[in-house]
Amino acid sequence: MSVPVRSDAELIAAHTSGDPHAFSELFRRHRDRLWAVALRTMRDHEDAADALQDAMISAFRNASSFRAESQVTTWLHRIVVNACLDRIRRRQARPTVPLPETGPAEPAVPRDAIAEQDTKMAVQDALAELPEDQRSAIVLVDVEGYSVSETASILGIAEGTVKSRCARGRGKLAKLLGHLRNPSADANVPDDAMAMRRREGR
Protein backbone atom coordinates (compact mmCIF):
# COMPACT_ATOMS: atom_id res chain seq x y z
CA MET A 1 0.00 0.00 0.00
CA SER A 2 1.40 3.36 -1.00
CA VAL A 3 1.97 6.00 1.64
CA PRO A 4 -0.37 8.99 1.14
CA VAL A 5 1.35 12.19 0.09
CA ARG A 6 1.26 14.76 2.86
CA SER A 7 0.25 18.32 2.06
CA ASP A 8 2.60 21.24 2.64
CA ALA A 9 0.63 22.25 5.71
CA GLU A 10 0.81 18.70 7.06
CA LEU A 11 4.57 18.67 6.55
CA ILE A 12 4.96 21.94 8.45
CA ALA A 13 2.82 20.58 11.28
CA ALA A 14 4.81 17.35 11.33
CA HIS A 15 8.08 19.29 11.40
CA THR A 16 7.00 21.41 14.35
CA SER A 17 5.89 18.21 16.10
CA GLY A 18 9.37 16.75 15.79
CA ASP A 19 9.31 14.75 12.54
CA PRO A 20 13.00 14.81 11.46
CA HIS A 21 12.21 14.24 7.77
CA ALA A 22 9.21 16.51 7.17
CA PHE A 23 11.08 19.74 6.44
CA SER A 24 13.51 18.05 4.05
CA GLU A 25 10.56 16.65 2.13
CA LEU A 26 8.95 20.09 2.01
CA PHE A 27 12.17 21.70 0.76
CA ARG A 28 12.72 19.06 -1.95
CA ARG A 29 9.17 19.66 -3.16
CA HIS A 30 9.71 23.40 -3.74
CA ARG A 31 13.49 23.65 -4.09
CA ASP A 32 13.64 24.36 -7.82
CA ARG A 33 11.29 27.33 -7.79
CA LEU A 34 12.75 28.78 -4.59
CA TRP A 35 16.20 28.52 -6.16
CA ALA A 36 15.01 30.21 -9.35
CA VAL A 37 13.66 33.17 -7.38
CA ALA A 38 16.86 33.46 -5.36
CA LEU A 39 19.06 33.29 -8.46
CA ARG A 40 17.05 35.85 -10.43
CA THR A 41 17.09 38.21 -7.48
CA MET A 42 20.75 37.83 -6.55
CA ARG A 43 22.20 37.35 -10.08
CA ASP A 44 25.08 35.29 -8.66
CA HIS A 45 25.04 31.54 -8.02
CA GLU A 46 27.08 31.71 -4.83
CA ASP A 47 25.09 34.62 -3.39
CA ALA A 48 21.81 32.93 -4.36
CA ALA A 49 22.89 29.68 -2.69
CA ASP A 50 23.84 31.56 0.48
CA ALA A 51 20.55 33.47 0.50
CA LEU A 52 18.55 30.29 -0.05
CA GLN A 53 20.43 28.60 2.77
CA ASP A 54 19.77 31.56 5.07
CA ALA A 55 16.09 31.40 4.15
CA MET A 56 15.73 27.68 4.76
CA ILE A 57 17.50 27.90 8.13
CA SER A 58 15.11 30.68 9.06
CA ALA A 59 12.09 28.69 7.88
CA PHE A 60 13.32 25.58 9.69
CA ARG A 61 13.75 27.44 12.96
CA ASN A 62 10.59 29.55 12.70
CA ALA A 63 8.14 27.01 11.28
CA SER A 64 6.03 27.33 14.42
CA SER A 65 5.30 30.94 13.39
CA PHE A 66 3.43 29.75 10.29
CA ARG A 67 -0.22 30.56 10.92
CA ALA A 68 -1.81 29.03 7.78
CA GLU A 69 -3.14 32.46 6.82
CA SER A 70 -1.46 31.93 3.44
CA GLN A 71 -0.14 28.94 1.53
CA VAL A 72 3.09 27.35 2.73
CA THR A 73 4.70 28.15 -0.62
CA THR A 74 3.82 31.83 -0.20
CA TRP A 75 5.40 31.80 3.26
CA LEU A 76 8.55 30.10 1.95
CA HIS A 77 8.89 32.49 -0.98
CA ARG A 78 8.49 35.50 1.31
CA ILE A 79 11.35 34.21 3.47
CA VAL A 80 13.55 33.63 0.39
CA VAL A 81 12.87 37.10 -1.04
CA ASN A 82 13.57 38.73 2.33
CA ALA A 83 16.83 36.77 2.68
CA CYS A 84 17.89 37.92 -0.79
CA LEU A 85 17.06 41.55 -0.08
CA ASP A 86 18.95 41.39 3.23
CA ARG A 87 22.04 40.14 1.42
CA ILE A 88 21.70 42.79 -1.30
CA ARG A 89 21.51 45.54 1.33
CA ARG A 90 24.57 44.19 3.13
CA ARG A 91 26.45 43.91 -0.15
CA GLN A 92 25.58 47.49 -1.09
CA ALA A 93 26.89 48.62 2.29
CA ARG A 94 30.20 46.85 1.54
CA PRO A 95 30.60 47.09 -2.26
CA THR A 96 33.11 44.82 -3.91
CA VAL A 97 34.43 44.52 -7.45
CA PRO A 98 33.51 41.11 -8.92
CA LEU A 99 36.28 39.09 -10.53
CA PRO A 100 35.82 38.20 -14.21
CA GLU A 101 34.34 34.76 -14.67
CA THR A 102 36.29 33.97 -17.84
CA GLY A 103 39.76 34.58 -19.13
CA PRO A 104 40.71 36.59 -22.20
CA ALA A 105 40.34 33.66 -24.58
CA GLU A 106 37.32 33.61 -26.89
CA PRO A 107 34.87 30.97 -25.63
CA ALA A 108 34.59 27.96 -27.91
CA VAL A 109 30.83 28.21 -28.47
CA PRO A 110 28.79 29.20 -31.53
CA ARG A 111 28.22 32.90 -32.19
CA ASP A 112 24.44 32.53 -31.71
CA ALA A 113 24.99 31.06 -28.25
CA ILE A 114 27.28 33.96 -27.37
CA ALA A 115 24.69 36.48 -28.55
CA GLU A 116 21.99 34.71 -26.52
CA GLN A 117 24.21 34.75 -23.45
CA ASP A 118 24.97 38.43 -24.02
CA THR A 119 21.25 39.15 -24.09
CA LYS A 120 20.67 37.23 -20.86
CA MET A 121 23.50 39.12 -19.19
CA ALA A 122 22.10 42.42 -20.41
CA VAL A 123 18.70 41.57 -18.92
CA GLN A 124 20.31 40.50 -15.64
CA ASP A 125 22.38 43.69 -15.53
CA ALA A 126 19.28 45.75 -16.21
CA LEU A 127 17.39 43.99 -13.40
CA ALA A 128 20.29 44.81 -11.10
CA GLU A 129 19.81 48.50 -11.89
CA LEU A 130 16.27 48.47 -10.49
CA PRO A 131 15.54 49.41 -6.89
CA GLU A 132 15.09 46.35 -4.66
CA ASP A 133 11.31 46.69 -4.38
CA GLN A 134 10.80 46.94 -8.15
CA ARG A 135 13.23 44.10 -8.86
CA SER A 136 11.45 41.74 -6.47
CA ALA A 137 8.09 42.47 -8.05
CA ILE A 138 9.42 42.11 -11.62
CA VAL A 139 11.23 38.84 -10.82
CA LEU A 140 8.15 37.27 -9.25
CA VAL A 141 5.57 38.49 -11.79
CA ASP A 142 7.41 38.75 -15.11
CA VAL A 143 10.21 36.21 -14.69
CA GLU A 144 8.74 33.52 -12.45
CA GLY A 145 5.13 33.94 -13.58
CA TYR A 146 3.40 34.51 -10.25
CA SER A 147 0.10 36.35 -10.32
CA VAL A 148 -0.19 39.85 -8.90
CA SER A 149 -2.21 38.39 -6.02
CA GLU A 150 0.41 35.73 -5.25
CA THR A 151 3.20 38.29 -5.45
CA ALA A 152 1.36 40.61 -3.09
CA SER A 153 1.09 37.77 -0.58
CA ILE A 154 4.76 36.83 -0.95
CA LEU A 155 5.97 40.40 -0.50
CA GLY A 156 3.38 41.31 2.09
CA ILE A 157 2.11 44.34 0.17
CA ALA A 158 -1.10 45.42 -1.55
CA GLU A 159 -1.87 44.26 -5.09
CA GLY A 160 -1.95 47.85 -6.27
CA THR A 161 1.58 48.33 -4.95
CA VAL A 162 2.74 45.27 -6.89
CA LYS A 163 1.21 46.69 -10.08
CA SER A 164 2.79 50.11 -9.61
CA ARG A 165 6.22 48.65 -8.82
CA CYS A 166 6.02 46.43 -11.90
CA ALA A 167 4.93 49.36 -14.06
CA ARG A 168 7.81 51.54 -12.87
CA GLY A 169 10.28 48.69 -13.17
CA ARG A 170 9.16 47.82 -16.69
CA GLY A 171 9.52 51.45 -17.72
CA LYS A 172 13.10 51.51 -16.50
CA LEU A 173 13.88 48.16 -18.11
CA ALA A 174 12.50 49.41 -21.43
CA LYS A 175 14.99 52.27 -21.36
CA LEU A 176 17.90 50.12 -20.17
CA LEU A 177 17.23 47.41 -22.76
CA GLY A 178 16.21 49.66 -25.65
CA HIS A 179 19.44 48.84 -27.48
CA LEU A 180 18.32 45.21 -27.81
CA ARG A 181 15.36 46.31 -29.95
CA ASN A 182 17.13 49.24 -31.62
CA PRO A 183 20.74 48.32 -32.32
CA SER A 184 23.20 51.17 -32.73
CA ALA A 185 23.07 52.90 -36.08
CA ASP A 186 26.79 52.27 -36.29
CA ALA A 187 25.98 48.63 -37.06
CA ASN A 188 25.11 49.69 -40.62
CA VAL A 189 28.05 52.05 -41.08
CA PRO A 190 30.79 50.75 -43.44
CA ASP A 191 34.10 49.85 -41.80
CA ASP A 192 36.01 52.63 -43.58
CA ALA A 193 33.51 55.22 -42.38
CA MET A 194 33.82 53.90 -38.84
CA ALA A 195 37.61 54.16 -39.05
CA MET A 196 37.31 57.77 -40.24
CA ARG A 197 35.03 58.57 -37.30
CA ARG A 198 37.58 57.19 -34.89
CA ARG A 199 40.40 59.20 -36.44
CA GLU A 200 38.32 62.36 -36.23
CA GLY A 201 37.42 61.61 -32.62
CA ARG A 202 33.71 61.22 -33.32
Side-chain angles (χ1 to χ4, degrees):
M1 182 183 295
S2 61
V3 178
V5 177
R6 293 184 287 183
S7 69
D8 290 347
E10 288 171 337
L11 288 173
I12 283 287
H15 167 65
T16 57
S17 297
D19 185 331
H21 307 295
F23 192 84
S24 295
E25 183 178 343
L26 180 68
F27 176 62
R28 282 195 299 271
R29 184 176 294 176
H30 301 292
R31 174 180 54 201
D32 291 347
R33 202 159 190 194
L34 294 173
W35 166 250
V37 169
L39 185 58
R40 295 287 188 182
T41 305
M42 299 301 299
R43 295 182 56 249
D44 177 89
H45 278 76
E46 185 174 342
D47 286 343
D50 289 341
L52 184 57
Q53 178 175 298
D54 290 347
M56 290 305 98
I57 290 173
S58 177
F60 184 91
R61 291 175 176 171
N62 299 299
S64 60
S65 67
F66 177 69
R67 294 287 178 261
E69 296 171 353
S70 62
Q71 294 185 3
V72 174
T73 52
T74 299
W75 178 71
L76 289 173
H77 278 81
R78 183 184 304 139
I79 294 174
V80 170
V81 170
N82 286 337
C84 289
L85 295 181
D86 285 345
R87 282 193 164 268
I88 289 170
R89 293 184 190 110
R90 292 200 298 269
R91 186 172 61 191
Q92 289 173 341
R94 299 190 302 274
T96 57
V97 178
L99 295 174
E101 295 182 359
T102 57
E106 181 71 18
V109 292
R111 183 67 236 174
D112 287 349
I114 296 174
E116 182 179 344
Q117 185 63 27
D118 287 346
T119 299
K120 289 181 180 178
M121 291 177 64
V123 172
Q124 291 174 351
D125 289 343
L127 279 171
E129 293 289 324
L130 299 181
E132 298 164 10
D133 56 351
Q134 294 175 19
R135 187 194 315 173
S136 299
I138 289 286
V139 165
L140 291 171
V141 175
D142 291 342
V143 180
E144 295 303 321
Y146 288 97
S147 68
V148 170
S149 176
E150 290 171 324
T151 300
S153 295
I154 291 170
L155 297 178
I157 57 178
E159 292 185 21
T161 305
V162 173
K163 292 177 181 178
S164 64
R165 288 180 181 180
C166 284
R168 291 198 301 271
R170 289 166 187 151
K172 292 179 181 177
L173 288 176
K175 293 179 181 178
L176 291 168
L177 298 173
H179 64 283
L180 295 179
R181 291 184 300 175
N182 302 301
S184 170
D186 285 343
N188 296 319
V189 177
D191 290 341
D192 55 349
M194 286 294 293
M196 183 177 297
R197 285 188 182 185
R198 294 191 189 98
R199 285 197 301 271
E200 294 175 353
R202 287 186 288 174

